[in-house]
Structure formats: C-alpha cells, structure tokens
Amino acid sequence: MAGGTSRERVLERPWAFQVQSEGRRQALWLAQRVAAASCPVLIIGSTGVGKDVLAEDLHDHSKRADRAFVAVNCAALSPSLLESELFGHQKGAYTSAVSTKAGLVELADGGTLFLDEIGELPLEAQAKLLRFLSRGTFWPVGATAEKSANVRILAATNRDLSRMLDGGFREDLFFRLSVITIFIPPLEPEDVRMIARTQATEIVTREGYQLHATEIEELSERLAACAWRGGARELRGTIERYLLLRDGERGAAENCRVALQQQHRQGTRTASPGDVGPLLERLDALVFLALARDAGDVRELSQRLRLSQQAIYHRLQRLGIKPRELGGSEPLQRAFQETRQALAPATAWLQSILKG
C-alpha cells in the first residue's frame, strides 16, 4: 500500500526459509510469531537445514529490519580473539592492537547480532555475553569505561546445549538465550525435492545452462530419494556438480549417478551416516516411543519391553515424558515425530540395509 509505514512494508517481505514438511512448517510458524519481538531466539538444527536463513528472516521481519544484521561464526574464531571480536578493543590493549576497534556488538547497535555455532563459545566469553544480555552493557578489551548497545541476540547451534550444562555451557546463559527455541528438523524428502528444484532453477538461470523443466523435476525427484548429511549446502554442491558433468547424450538418471559417484570419490558419504552412536540412540528412542504410544500405563510398557518399571520411569524422564502421558498424548506424539524427523537423513541408508 502506497504511503504505508515502514513496519507494514517489513511485514510484506517474503520469507526466504522454504517449507514443505510439517516440521519445517512449524519452525516457520513459530519464527513468524516472534519475529517482531526483541527477545533472544535460539535456533537448533543439524548442518544445512537453514538456521542462518531463518535468522536473517527473523531480522528482516522485525522492527530492526532497517538496521544492521551482524553474523559471526563462533567456531571460526580463536578463543583469544573472540572477546575482542565481540566487544572490541582499545588501542594498545595487546601487542597487535595498533588502533581502537569496535566489536560486533557495537556494530549491531539498534539491529541484530547472530551468533552461529553458539555451542563453541568459550566459557569466559559466555560469562561476558551473559552480562551483556542481562544489562545491555559491555567492556571493550583494555577499556576503562563501559559501553552500551541495544542489540537483539539470535543464536544457532547443531548441538544439544541442554546436555552441555554440566560444564560445557553455562546454564544461566542457556536459559537466557532460549526464551524462544526454534527446532528445525532434518530435511524430509519433500523438503529436498522443493529445495533442489529451487536451487537447480536458480543455477540454470544464472549460468545460462540449457536445461528443460522436466529434467529439473526428474533431478529433484532422484535427489529426494537420497539422504543429505550436509543438508541444503551438500545438496547444492551436488546440483552444481550435476550441471558441470552433465552429458546431453545421457539421461537425468545416469547424469545423477555420475554426480553422486563423483561425490563419493571426494570423500563425502551421502548414503550412509558417519557417527552411528547418535543414530543408534535415536533408533532406540523411536522404538521406545512407538511402544509407549500404544501402552496404557507403565506396567504394560515394562512388560512389553521386559524392563523394570523403574527403568521405564527413568527413560520417560530422559525423554521429557510424564507417566500419565503414555498412549496418544500430544507431548508423546510430538516427541515421536521429532525423533523420527531426526532420523530422516539416514532413511535411505537404513532402507538399503533392510533390503539387503
């Protein structure tokens, strides 16, 4: 609408985070609910599911959209430099500090600071970040006076921070960051199909490849049948490889096989998981939750699993399920779906084992 407010124009912006499966749809719904707020948001998801895309969407649809969006990968900075990068330093604060430098917090003043891979943040830096979140003030390295900044903090991680609270991550910081927690599940086949179609169309248009829409559809279908440990990033690399190695004399199926074969030679493992420990834990949890959905009470579940009732209580507690929630309760159904979605990247590999 002509003459509308800046806020109205912000709301009209499209969301870049693509959704097709129910899990991603739920993540987007929650992001849309909290975009206009100023509270911290913690985004959790495996590699390549779009955590950075959703973070930028949250900024672009917030009241801070016309101010800076500053992103930093905590895992890419050494512990000795991270504090200086976040909060800045004064000239002479250390040997290589030849001039005063503003930190990322100050550069993001009025806007959004996105802390990617927050689980890699050293404990000392966590304490200083907590102080900033609590008070809005910070000390540049070597400074003699505090500074303040009005910044919204978004954080993302592919790790389970709740399991790191015994020493790897500060409990108080975790609860401060996770006012709102958005879980992005691994890509489902329908997500892969949609993202592959979008990425292939974009690359073909940009690079001027001669590729018919029906071949893009066939390519998307074939890629949707594979598991993608690296998420959308790995998927994009495979599409680019497909287009580079494509032979017009071969069909899409053969060209796709060549692209995937080249990927295996480069050392990636699309078809099978690397660390099977978490996979086995999730499989075990999925079987347990499936039986719990059909059980009337703890006694029945213990008999079906041939475990003591105390062991059942313990497992339910670990999964965040109350004994009275056995059967078809919403919390149990949600836990089952989240566990099933977490296994999605290994689906093709598991199916290959079952088929022998």
Side-chain angles (χ1 to χ4, degrees):
M1 180 176 66
T5 66
S6 173
R7 179 64 188 142
E8 288 171 339
R9 287 195 295 273
V10 167
L11 289 171
E12 292 170 1
R13 294 181 183 180
W15 286 72
F17 184 77
Q18 295 181 293
V19 300
Q20 193 68 33
S21 64
E22 182 59 28
R24 288 177 71 85
R25 199 176 303 280
Q26 287 294 323
L28 179 59
W29 174 83
L30 183 54
Q32 290 172 333
R33 290 292 299 268
V34 304
S38 293
C39 64
V41 176
L42 178 63
I43 305 171
I44 300 175
S46 55
T47 300
V49 295
K51 299 186 293 294
D52 53 342
V53 176
L54 192 60
E56 285 203 61
D57 270 340
L58 283 165
H59 171 75
D60 289 341
H61 291 79
S62 73
K63 299 173 184 177
R64 302 168 180 264
D66 57 345
R67 304 300 293 272
F69 175 82
V70 178
V72 58
N73 188 324
C74 298
L77 296 173
S78 67
S80 60
L81 292 177
L82 201 145
E83 184 182 347
S84 174
E85 288 291 328
L86 283 179
F87 303 113
H89 62 249
Q90 295 296 112
K91 180 180 179 180
Y94 47 86
T95 305
S96 59
V98 295
S99 62
T100 297
K101 177 185 175 182
L104 298 174
V105 166
E106 191 170 350
L107 294 175
D109 190 18
T112 302
L113 178 62
F114 174 47
L115 300 172
D116 200 7
E117 303 298 345
I118 187 70
E120 308 302 324
L121 198 65
L123 284 169
E124 185 178 352
Q126 289 179 33
K128 292 181 169 60
L129 177 62
L130 177 64
R131 176 186 175 85
F132 172 69
L133 282 169
S134 302
R135 302 179 56 179
T137 60
F138 62 96
W139 288 82
V141 179
T144 57
E146 271 188 316
K147 289 189 172 184
S148 62
N150 176 13
V151 175
R152 184 188 194 181
I153 299 290
L154 304 178
T157 181
N158 59 10
R159 305 178 67 179
D160 185 352
L161 297 186
S162 66
R163 295 189 177 184
M164 298 171 58
L165 302 184
D166 57 352
F169 202 85
R170 291 182 63 110
E171 185 176 32
D172 43 9
L173 178 59
F174 171 72
F175 290 119
R176 177 71 69 166
L177 288 172
S178 59
V179 173
I180 294 293
T181 299
I182 300 177
F183 172 70
I184 306 178
L187 299 179
E188 296 274 14
E190 58 264 40
D191 300 317
V192 174
R193 187 179 300 110
M194 171 195 60
I195 294 171
R197 185 185 303 119
T198 301
Q199 290 183 344
T201 302
E202 180 236 310
I203 296 170
V204 165
T205 303
R206 188 190 69 225
E207 301 295 336
Y209 289 110
Q210 297 300 312
L211 203 67
H212 197 275
T214 54
E215 185 173 346
I216 292 179
E217 285 299 318
E218 185 175 352
L219 173 63
S220 302
E221 287 293 333
R222 293 189 176 279
L223 295 178
C226 300
W228 299 95
R229 288 183 58 205
R233 294 189 186 94
E234 184 186 7
L235 180 62
R236 186 181 186 88
T238 302
I239 294 170
E240 291 179 337
R241 190 178 304 108
Y242 174 94
L243 294 170
L244 288 168
L245 302 178
R246 177 178 176 271
D247 185 338
E249 298 298 318
R250 296 192 298 247
E254 180 62 15
N255 281 319
C256 190
R257 186 192 66 78
V258 170
L260 291 171
Q261 185 180 53
Q262 179 69 21
Q263 183 163 318
H264 291 307
R265 287 174 182 169
Q266 292 177 354
T268 58
R269 293 169 291 181
T270 300
S272 62
D275 182 3
V276 297
L279 172 63
L280 293 175
E281 290 181 9
R282 292 188 182 112
L283 278 171
D284 183 60
L286 188 68
V287 172
F288 178 84
L289 289 167
L291 292 172
R293 289 193 310 174
D294 299 330
D297 53 31
V298 170
R299 184 170 177 271
E300 180 184 345
L301 186 57
S302 70
Q303 289 175 342
R304 295 187 66 179
L305 287 168
R306 297 183 180 180
L307 294 173
S308 68
Q309 292 187 32
Q310 188 62 38
I312 297 297
Y313 282 120
H314 179 66
R315 292 208 61 177
L316 290 172
Q317 184 178 31
R318 282 176 53 197
L319 293 167
I321 304 296
K322 296 179 174 61
R324 66 173 181 272
E325 292 171 342
L326 290 176
S329 71
E330 183 180 343
L332 198 150
Q333 292 281 17
R334 184 168 59 249
F336 177 83
Q337 290 300 329
E338 289 177 355
T339 305
R340 188 180 67 84
Q341 288 165 357
L343 284 165
T347 300
W349 180 70
L350 291 170
Q351 288 176 342
S352 70
I353 294 175
L354 293 172
K355 291 177 181 178

